[in-house]
Amino acid sequence: MRGKFLHNEVLLAPLGRAFEAQDWQTDYEVPIRIGEDLGFVDLVAERDGYCIAIEAENTAKRIARDLDKAAAMRADELWIVTPNLTVAAAVRRSLARQLIRVDHGGLYVLTQGEALQRVKRCLPLFAGS
């Protein structure tokens, strides 16, 4: 994976394992074309034709790019996963400035703990289970 320890081992790896425990297929650093540019989605979880793009962020700087990548791959959901509530609040403020609604319509800003909880508690109820 392209990120550093916090990005890869703390934020993403536990999520990938949690998805796999629920029988989701996971793939890290999935390349995606946006026009002439190449981007990488940090983690993609797929099951029964449903796709969740997960971007781990330590700041709110790349949120617009995350939205573009999720749209380009036609993900059903985009989870922006942060290490703590402070970063999550900064991401939410950034999205609000762009008039983008969060936590509904397939866009979620979650701390890593909230994301793990969502995988363990909500996804077993997924229609394909």
Side-chain angles (χ1 to χ4, degrees):
M1 290 185 279
R2 299 163 24 113
K4 295 186 179 180
F5 183 80
L6 175 66
H7 183 267
N8 295 340
E9 299 303 321
V10 176
L11 292 177
L12 292 174
L15 274 174
R17 288 190 297 271
F19 272 106
E20 290 163 4
Q22 300 294 336
D23 295 325
W24 287 69
Q25 297 296 317
T26 60
D27 199 5
Y28 294 88
E29 296 297 332
V30 177
I32 187 76
R33 281 242 174 250
I34 304 170
E36 295 294 316
D37 295 331
L38 180 65
F40 294 86
V41 176
D42 292 336
L43 175 61
V44 175
E46 294 181 280
R47 182 172 172 182
D48 299 328
Y50 197 83
C51 176
I52 301 173
I54 297 136
E55 292 286 356
E57 296 297 352
N58 294 315
T59 71
K61 293 179 183 176
R62 293 185 301 270
I63 301 308
R65 182 80 170 158
D66 294 344
L67 295 169
D68 291 343
K69 290 186 286 185
M73 73 178 306
R74 295 189 174 120
D76 296 291
E77 293 183 15
L78 169 60
W79 294 9
I80 299 172
V81 177
T82 68
N84 56 51
L85 289 170
T86 303
V87 177
V91 170
R92 284 190 173 93
R93 283 191 304 273
S94 174
L95 291 166
R97 281 191 297 273
Q98 300 173 54
L99 302 177
I100 297 171
R101 294 184 66 188
V102 180
D103 297 335
H104 105 304
L107 174 59
Y108 300 92
V109 177
L110 307 160
T111 64
Q112 197 260 0
E114 291 169 334
L116 276 172
Q117 193 172 51
R118 186 171 173 84
V119 172
K120 292 176 182 177
R121 291 190 180 165
C122 298
L123 294 182
L125 303 175
F126 186 77
S129 296

